[in-house]
Amino acid sequence: MAEEKRGKKRSSIMTEGVERAPHRSLLYALGWDREMMNKPIIGIANSFTELIPGHMHLRKITEKVKEGILAAGGVPAEFGTIGICDGLAMGHFGMKFSLPSRELIADSIEVVVRGTALDGIVLVTNCDKIDPGMMMAAGRLDIPAIIVSGGPMLSGKIGTRHVGVDAVFEAVGEYSSGKLSEEELYAIECQACPGAGSCAGLFTANSMNCMAEALGIALPGNGTIPAVFAERLRLAREAGKTIVKAVEQNLTARKILTREAFLNAVAVDMAIGGSTNTALHLPAIAASAGVELTLDDFDRISAKVPHICSLAPSGPYFMEDLNAAGGVMAVIKEISKLGVINGDLPTITGRNLFDSYKNSPSADGTIIAKTEKPYHSEGGLAVLKGNLAPGGSIVKKGAVDPSMLVHQGPARVFESEEDAQRAILSNEIKPGDVVVIRYEGPKGGPGMREMLSPTASIAGMGLDKEVALITDGRFSGATRGSSVGHITPEAASGGPIGIICDGDQIKIDIPGKRIDLLISKEEWDRRMSDFKPKIKRTGSPFLDLYAQNVSSAAKGAIRELEGGSA
């Protein structure tokens, strides 16, 4: 979107001049008056839905955003967009639609904003693909934009034990192996998710809401203030006021979403040990803003930034604990000592990042560890390459038991998540195995399904310290254990994961950052020359079109059209 001069309203092309009388007439039909048309018109993309716990309270959040916009002299204009709960889509055909919905969300916001020439946009979001989809829209549009999340869910409680939704997925494996009774399983499923908010641990939604803070496109507290706290409502109201000021200053999204801002975000991601999905979403958001961000950037920064937060699913603490310890800004303050944060970058507040974190609490040494005594000396994510993943793969290293950092074992190959899950729950997977799930990538799935069910079942059955899982698909932020995803190229694109046979030895060396299929060169060459990737037809025109245009996971699984990315 062409940049307007400071002080010039973008919406004036819809509200000013004799030839715009018909447009004004339609706005009068909304109950507007002439004075309102002279003010900044701020769109509010509200992803409220009654189907997602993280979004069921967003009407209330949006009302507070409107209050802030009105108080600052703007005109709020709310519209809706879609959302899918990955937890509800998990483990069945519906999950194929989750990642593609990210593009659909970005498209829908772009259509409304460009079609009605809005002056600024507030993106009210909370969950897995809605967060990055909205940030991608901000990058595309390059108008003043601010992210307002609904906040994390409080953790549930079973006796004295705090739990999240990941505990329920793992309980399925515990029940299947006879470790839990049906009554105990029922008690866990009833208590793990106590109310509104994005799931309580550092899963994908909360990871991305924290990334919005680190990028500077959301207010401090966006990623950690619990959904049910009154502070969340005050943040929403402040966001409404902030966006009007950003419009007055012409502080557009691409002035904030620079390459340096994305490198800051990756550093924070490594420090907190975010979801592996950040390695999919951050490059996609960067591409929408005209910025290049690669897995090599993640790899390089991971070596510099220690893992200083031990949050669920890999640790005992939850988002409410991180919030109490000072949140994302306290994390940034701690790792800034290492010289990995550029504090001079602008944020949507109009102040630079340093001004946002300088007065934050110091690391408490427990929930936020000191950099001198971290949970792990390197970042929470690791990029693995090797003959199985020449384009790269990703693992949540901070969630892997030390005994599994290097693992070699025989492959157990499955062509879909469902096939693998059946084998796991039927006790067909043995200690030492490497479960291989292929044809679940962006093209081959299509849609690159999250696979929390098999990884959680492995953990629930007590095999997470003995069994590894690799896939060209992806994992939930709730996944733990030696789970290597995003293997690129994927099987459907002719990647080597497609030539693995049952019984082949696979070596995963996380400290060495390698993943390799241990067969002879002659056997490798023979299999690759004979390999013909399978093509799946889904019966869904939407998914089939997505599969035809989607890039590799290494590029963020973004849509690629002739002549460049969408």
Side-chain angles (χ1 to χ4, degrees):
M1 183 173 286
E3 183 177 299
E4 302 285 345
K5 293 181 180 178
R6 184 174 174 142
K8 177 71 171 177
K9 290 194 325 107
R10 290 170 175 79
S11 60
S12 64
I13 63 171
M14 187 174 63
T15 61
E16 295 181 9
V18 173
E19 70 278 13
R20 299 307 186 208
H23 303 67
R24 292 192 295 273
S25 180
L26 291 168
L27 294 174
Y28 287 138
L30 298 174
W32 291 21
D33 58 29
R34 185 59 180 157
E35 182 184 3
M36 294 171 72
M37 295 183 206
N38 292 328
K39 296 178 179 181
I41 301 174
I42 309 297
I44 306 173
N46 182 2
S47 56
F48 163 80
T49 168
E50 294 180 340
L51 282 169
I52 307 178
H55 292 240
M56 68 184 192
H57 62 307
L58 294 188
R59 282 176 172 164
K60 194 170 185 179
I61 296 287
T62 298
E63 288 305 312
K64 291 299 177 181
V65 170
K66 290 178 182 178
E67 287 180 16
I69 292 170
L70 290 167
V75 177
E78 179 186 351
F79 62 93
T81 188
I82 65 164
I84 292 175
C85 175
D86 279 20
L88 293 175
M90 198 75 66
H92 60 84
F93 185 79
M95 180 50 81
K96 292 178 181 288
F97 292 87
S98 178
L99 183 60
S101 76
R102 186 186 68 178
E103 315 295 320
L104 197 56
I105 290 160
D107 289 348
S108 68
I109 294 168
E110 179 186 7
V111 165
V112 173
V113 172
R114 291 194 192 276
T116 45
L118 300 176
D119 295 301
I121 184 73
V122 181
L123 301 155
V124 182
T125 179
N126 215 26
C127 288
D128 291 356
K129 305 309 166 297
I130 302 96
D131 283 339
M134 288 197 170
M135 285 188 260
M136 288 167 66
R140 285 187 201 176
L141 293 164
D142 194 24
I143 65 172
I146 188 169
I147 294 288
V148 179
S149 84
M153 186 185 292
L154 294 175
S155 59
K157 208 170 182 184
I158 306 294
T160 59
R161 175 189 171 208
H162 287 266
V163 297
V165 70
D166 55 313
V168 191
F169 278 95
E170 291 188 11
V172 173
E174 293 176 289
Y175 173 76
S176 298
S177 61
K179 296 178 181 178
L180 282 182
S181 67
E182 189 173 348
E183 291 75 20
E184 289 171 319
L185 174 60
Y186 180 69
I188 293 173
E189 70 180 81
C190 288
Q191 297 298 322
C193 299
S198 47
C199 298
L202 190 60
F203 313 141
T204 304
N206 292 327
S207 296
M208 291 309 300
N209 284 326
C210 290
M211 294 299 95
E213 277 192 63
L215 287 167
I217 201 169
L219 297 181
N222 178 75
T224 60
I225 298 171
V228 295
F229 281 18
E231 189 181 357
R232 174 62 56 181
L233 299 177
R234 290 192 287 274
L235 180 140
R237 191 173 189 277
E238 184 62 28
K241 292 192 285 186
T242 298
I243 193 63
V244 176
K245 293 175 185 175
V247 169
E248 292 169 351
Q249 297 168 358
N250 197 34
L251 182 54
T252 62
R254 290 194 178 191
K255 293 176 182 176
I256 296 169
L257 298 176
T258 62
R259 175 166 166 79
E260 291 75 17
F262 282 99
L263 297 181
N264 277 351
V266 173
V268 174
D269 190 20
M270 295 302 161
I272 63 177
S275 165
T276 54
N277 284 310
T278 57
L280 198 67
H281 298 319
L282 285 174
I285 298 163
S288 76
V291 171
E292 184 179 26
L293 186 71
T294 69
L295 286 181
D296 289 338
D297 293 314
F298 283 77
D299 190 37
R300 175 174 53 81
I301 294 171
S302 177
K304 296 179 180 179
V305 182
H307 177 211
I308 62 173
C309 296
S310 186
L311 301 170
S314 55
Y317 303 110
F318 290 85
M319 297 307 293
E320 63 211 67
D321 301 309
L322 179 58
N323 185 65
V328 173
M329 291 301 136
V331 172
I332 294 177
K333 182 178 180 179
E334 181 63 21
I335 64 173
S336 68
K337 301 174 183 177
L338 303 174
V340 296
I341 294 293
N342 184 340
D344 294 330
L345 301 183
T347 71
I348 192 63
T349 65
R351 302 183 301 274
N352 65 25
L353 183 63
F354 175 75
D355 287 334
S356 295
Y357 72 74
K358 65 181 180 182
N359 295 322
S360 296
S362 297
D364 67 342
T366 303
I367 297 167
I368 303 173
K370 302 284 187 179
T371 54
E372 310 89 72
K373 196 175 179 181
Y375 286 101
H376 299 94
S377 61
E378 293 189 349
L381 300 181
V383 177
L384 311 185
K385 292 188 177 181
N387 67 9
L388 263 183
S393 62
I394 196 87
V395 62
K396 194 170 184 176
K397 181 171 64 174
V400 179
D401 188 84
S403 65
M404 288 293 290
L405 289 173
V406 177
H407 178 78
Q408 181 178 325
R412 292 297 312 278
V413 182
F414 302 95
E415 308 293 297
S416 72
E417 177 188 3
E418 288 86 352
D419 290 346
Q421 179 71 343
R422 279 191 291 271
I424 294 166
L425 295 180
S426 298
N427 295 304
E428 295 174 23
I429 304 303
K430 304 304 178 187
D433 285 349
V434 178
V435 176
V436 178
I437 306 178
R438 60 193 181 196
Y439 291 102
E440 290 287 6
K443 290 182 185 292
M448 204 179 187
R449 289 191 288 180
E450 276 190 358
M451 283 178 271
L452 176 56
S453 294
T455 58
S457 295
I458 287 171
M461 297 174 80
L463 293 172
D464 56 303
K465 296 179 183 179
E466 299 177 280
V467 170
L469 190 153
I470 70 172
T471 181
D472 52 10
R474 61 192 177 90
F475 298 114
S476 164
T479 289
R480 64 184 176 95
S482 183
S483 303
V484 183
H486 304 197
I487 287 180
T488 306
E490 62 176 293
S493 295
I497 190 174
I499 67 168
I500 302 172
C501 297
D502 270 330
D504 287 345
Q505 288 288 310
I506 294 173
K507 184 174 182 180
I508 301 167
D509 181 356
I510 296 174
K513 299 184 177 180
R514 289 197 64 87
I515 179 167
D516 292 290
L517 175 61
L518 305 181
I519 60 175
S520 69
K521 183 180 184 303
E522 292 75 19
E523 180 65 10
W524 178 282
D525 291 342
R526 183 190 67 77
R527 291 189 194 179
M528 287 299 292
S529 64
D530 293 341
F531 178 39
K532 293 181 175 55
K534 299 175 183 178
I535 303 296
K536 290 185 182 178
R537 295 299 178 201
T538 67
S540 165
F542 172 70
L543 287 178
D544 290 342
L545 184 62
Y546 175 83
Q548 291 171 28
N549 293 287
V550 70
S551 75
S552 72
K555 292 183 178 180
I558 57 176
R559 185 175 56 211
E560 289 188 322
L561 305 179
E562 188 174 351
S565 301

